Amino acid sequence: MASVDAALISRVVERFGKDPQRLMDIVREVQGELGQFPQEAVDGIAKALGVHRVQVADMASFYSFIDRGEKARYTVRLSNCVVDKMQGMDEVTRAFEKALGIRCGQNTADGVFSLRQTSCTGMCDQPPAALINDLVVTGLKPADVPAIVEALKQERRKPGDAMLFPNAEVQLNLRQAGPVVLGPFENGSAIRKSLALTPEQVIDELNKSKLRGRGGAGFPTGMKWSFCRKAQGEHYIICNADEGEPGTFKDRLLLTEAADLLFEGMTVAGYALGAAEGLLYLRAEYAYLYPRLEQVLARRRRHGLLGESIAGREGFSFDIRIQLGAGAYVCGEESGLIESLEGKRGAPRDRPPYPVQRGYKQEPTSVNNVETLCCAARILEKGADWFVKHGTRDSTGTKLLSVSGDCRHPGVYEVEYGITVDKLLQLVGGEDAQAVQVGGPSGACLAPKDYGRKISFEDIPTGGSIIVFGPQRDLLKHVLDFTEFFAEESCGWCAPCRVGTTLLVHKLHKVLEGRGTASDLPELKQLGTTVKMMSRCGLGQSAANPVLTTLQNLPELYRKRLSDKEFIPHFDIAGAFSEQAAVTGRKFVDHEEAHA
Ligand SMILES: Cc1cc2nc3c(=O)[nH]c(=O)nc-3n(C[C@H](O)[C@H](O)[C@H](O)COP(=O)(O)O)c2cc1C
Ligand code: SF4
C-alpha cells in the first residue's frame, strides 16, 4: 500500500472479526480515520478480509457517505429535500459557496472542506439542515454561514461538539403525544406480559390487535411474525430505522424519546420469533443518535432486559446490535436493507423468497419499522382489546405523522387513524394549503377537493410524511424535485426505473420550460404507468407517483404551462451534421429534400 497505514487496516478488520459481512463498519471506520476512502484502502481491506477487491469497491461505490474522492477534513452535506429548498436552502448553498470559494460538489484546494448535496436528512421540521461530518446543523440562515466556516477553519471546536454552533441542536418538535405510542410506559412490562404467554399466543395477540406495518406497505404484523416463526432456521428481527422518505422524521423522535419502547418491542419480537439476535439499521444521517442508543442498550443489559435469561426467564437470550448505514434511500426497502446489513451494496433482491423465508444471512427474518415495534410493545403491555379501541375498524391504533412545509406548527403528531386531511391542516396551521403531499414523494399529492378524505389504510395510507404546500408555491417545480430524487436514488438495477425516472425528469423540464404541448400529458401518464408497473422494487413502483397523482388530482398545473403551438415533429439533420461537414470539408446534402 502506498499512503494508507496497513496497521490501521488490519486493526479495524480484526476489530470486526475479519467478517466480510461487517464490511460497512470496516469501511466507515477506515474512512473516519483517513477522511476519505482511497483505492489503497480498498486493496488493503480486500487483502485483510481475503475477498476480491471488486467486492469492496462495489460496496463502497454504492453509498453517498463513502467518499472515494479527494480527502477533506470536513464534509458539508446540504439537504436538497423539497422542504429544505422551500425554506431557503438555495440561498444557504450560495452562502457556503461564497464563504468557501468553491461550487457545490467541489473540495477546497487545501483539503479542508468538501461541499456536497445530499437527500433529505430527516430534519424537515427545522429546515434548512445540513450535516458537517456527523454533526447535524438545523435552521440555517445564509448569515450564519461565514461564522460556521470560520470556526471550522480555525478548529476552535471539532464537529461532534454540539456547542460549535447554536444551530447544532436537533429540536424534538413533538406537537401532540397520543395515548398509544407516546403514552406512559414502564420498562420491562411488555416483556413480562409476553413471557407469561407462549410465543404463539404473543403472535395471536398481535393478530387480534390488527396491527399493520407503519413503514409504508401496511402488511399485518402478526401475520409477518407468524410466517417468520414457522420458517425453518435461525430467526432474526430487524428494525428498519432508515427513515429516508423525504418529509419523514417521526422515527427520529421515537429513537430519541422512546428507545426503550422500541428495544422492548424488538425483544418481544425476539421471543415471539425465537430469535437470539436483533439488528437496528440506523440511517447514517442519524449517527448522532448512536452513542445514546448504545447507552440505552447497555442500561437494558444491566437491568436484565437484554442478554442472557431475560427478565429471569431461563433459556430466553436475546441481544441487539446497531448497524449504521451510509446514505442510500433504497436501503429502506427491506431486501436492500438486508443486503446492506450483510456488507454489500443495498440493491433490492428478487422476491420470492421473501425475507420471512430467507432474509438476513438467508435465514427467516422479520423486518419492521420503528413505530410498528413500538406499537407491538404497547399491545403486549396493554392488550389487543385496548389497542383496537383506537383508530378505525381496519386501521387500528394511532399514527405518528411528520408534518412539514407551509404550516405554522411543523413537527410530530400522534393522531387517531381516520383523521381527515382538513382536520389535520387545522391542527398544524396549514389551512390555506394548495396541496398536501401525503406519504412523501412515494405517496400521493392531494388537492383541496380531497381534504375530506381520511388518513387510514382504507382511504389514504401513509408511512408518516405530510408536506404542506402553501398557495405561493410553484408545485410543478416540486414534482420535478421529487422525480429527480427518485432518479438520483435509483439503484440502477432495472431499466424501467433507471431510464424511466430520467425520462420523466426530461419531460417535466420540457413542460416547466413552456415547451410542452398537449400530446406530452398522455405521454407523461403512459411513461409514469410503465415505470410503476414494470419496476422491480417499491422505489421504482412509486417513483412516478408525484407525476401520476398530480396529473390526476391537479391537472391544471400542467395544462397552464403547455404551449398552444401545435407540435410538428422536426429534426434539423443539416445542423446535426454541421460539425462533420466542417471537419471533412464536404457539404451535407439532404437527398430527400433535393428530390422533393
Ligand atoms: C424505497 C423504499 C424505502 C423504504 N424506506 C423505509 C424506511 O425508511 N423505513 C421503513 O420502515 N420502511 C421503509 N420501506 C418499507 C420496507 O420495505 C418494509 O416494508 C418495512 O420496513 C416493513 O416494516 P413494517 O411492516 O413494520 O411497516 C421502504 C420501502 C421502499 C420501497
Ligand atoms: S426499481 Fe429502481 S431501485 Fe428498485 S431494483 Fe429497479 S432500479 Fe433498483
Side-chain angles (χ1 to χ4, degrees), residues 330 348 489-494 497-498 535-541:
V330 72
E489 295 291 342
S490 164
C491 83
W493 183 290
C494 60
C497 170
R498 183 184 67 246
S535 290
R536 181 165 163 263
C537 85
L539 189 150
Q541 287 154 13

Side-chain angles (χ1 to χ4, degrees), residues 295-318:
Q295 278 170 15
V296 177
L297 288 177
R299 176 170 42 73
R300 291 182 72 84
R301 285 182 196 116
R302 281 199 307 279
H303 292 181
L305 296 175
L306 278 177
E308 304 287 316
S309 307
I310 291 175
R313 168 64 69 94
E314 202 65 28
F316 175 40
S317 302
F318 178 78

Side-chain angles (χ1 to χ4, degrees), residues 468-520:
V468 182
F469 292 107
Q472 75 278 27
R473 301 292 168 194
D474 182 352
L475 201 54
L476 202 55
K477 215 167 125 291
H478 300 311
V479 173
L480 171 66
D481 285 335
F482 284 150
T483 312
E484 282 177 335
F485 162 77
F486 286 118
E488 172 68 27
E489 295 291 342
S490 164
C491 83
W493 183 290
C494 60
C497 170
R498 183 184 67 246
V499 181
T501 51
T502 303
L503 292 177
L504 283 172
V505 166
H506 288 171
K507 266 245 181 283
L508 284 170
H509 269 295
K510 187 178 172 196
V511 176
L512 265 160
E513 288 157 18
R515 294 182 287 113
T517 57
S519 64
D520 281 305

Side-chain angles (χ1 to χ4, degrees), residues 100 137 166 215 228 245 285 375 505 519 586:
L100 296 173
V137 188
C228 184
E245 186 74 31
E285 291 80 350
C375 287
V505 166
S519 64
R586 289 162 61 186

Side-chain angles (χ1 to χ4, degrees), residues 274-506:
E277 190 181 355
L279 297 117
L280 170 68
Y281 188 91
L282 183 67
R283 70 183 309 216
E285 291 80 350
Y286 294 171
Y288 74 99
L289 292 172
Y290 183 90
R292 210 179 314 170
L293 290 167
E294 283 290 1
Q295 278 170 15
V296 177
L297 288 177
R299 176 170 42 73
R300 291 182 72 84
R301 285 182 196 116
R302 281 199 307 279
H303 292 181
L305 296 175
L306 278 177
E308 304 287 316
S309 307
I310 291 175
R313 168 64 69 94
E314 202 65 28
F316 175 40
S317 302
F318 178 78
D319 215 324
I320 295 171
R321 173 168 86 73
I322 304 173
Q323 173 69 62
L324 269 169
Y329 166 66
V330 72
C331 288
E333 195 282 337
E334 57 186 7
S335 65
L337 184 147
I338 290 170
E339 287 284 293
S340 181
L341 266 172
E342 292 179 356
K344 296 179 247 170
R345 55 197 284 130
R349 293 177 179 173
D350 281 326
R351 274 147 299 169
Y354 291 93
V356 287
Q357 303 159 303
R358 275 200 271 144
Y360 182 56
K361 300 184 180 177
Q362 298 298 317
E363 301 286 355
T365 304
S366 178
V367 180
N368 289 109
N369 174 254
V370 175
E371 188 183 346
T372 312
L373 289 160
C374 289
C375 287
R378 294 289 280 164
I379 290 163
L380 266 299
E381 180 209 7
K382 305 273 270 184
D385 292 342
W386 166 82
F387 190 78
V388 298
K389 288 197 184 110
H390 297 276
T392 68
R393 208 181 54 128
D394 292 324
S395 308
T396 51
T398 56
K399 182 78 193 86
L400 259 60
L401 301 177
S402 321
V403 183
S404 65
D406 297 315
C407 59
R408 291 190 297 283
H409 314 296
V412 177
Y413 294 75
E414 182 179 353
V415 300
E416 296 274 329
Y417 269 116
I419 187 173
T420 60
V421 176
D422 240 336
K423 186 91 192 295
L424 181 67
L425 287 172
Q426 284 165 28
L427 192 65
V428 306
E431 298 86 344
D432 60 349
Q434 66 159 306
V436 181
Q437 187 75 29
V438 180
S442 56
C445 188
L446 302 185
K449 67 179 169 54
D450 294 315
Y451 291 175
R453 292 180 63 184
K454 291 178 176 160
I455 292 181
S456 58
F457 291 107
E458 52 271 43
D459 193 359
I460 318 172
T462 171
S465 168
I466 306 279
I467 303 175
V468 182
F469 292 107
Q472 75 278 27
R473 301 292 168 194
D474 182 352
L475 201 54
L476 202 55
K477 215 167 125 291
H478 300 311
V479 173
L480 171 66
D481 285 335
F482 284 150
T483 312
E484 282 177 335
F485 162 77
F486 286 118
E488 172 68 27
E489 295 291 342
S490 164
C491 83
W493 183 290
C494 60
C497 170
R498 183 184 67 246
V499 181
T501 51
T502 303
L503 292 177
L504 283 172
V505 166
H506 288 171

Side-chain angles (χ1 to χ4, degrees), residues 547-562:
V547 171
L548 294 176
T549 61
T550 45
L551 271 174
Q552 184 185 331
N553 299 332
L554 295 138
E556 270 318 299
L557 285 181
Y558 296 82
R559 284 198 200 121
K560 67 183 184 199
R561 313 289 277 240
L562 296 182

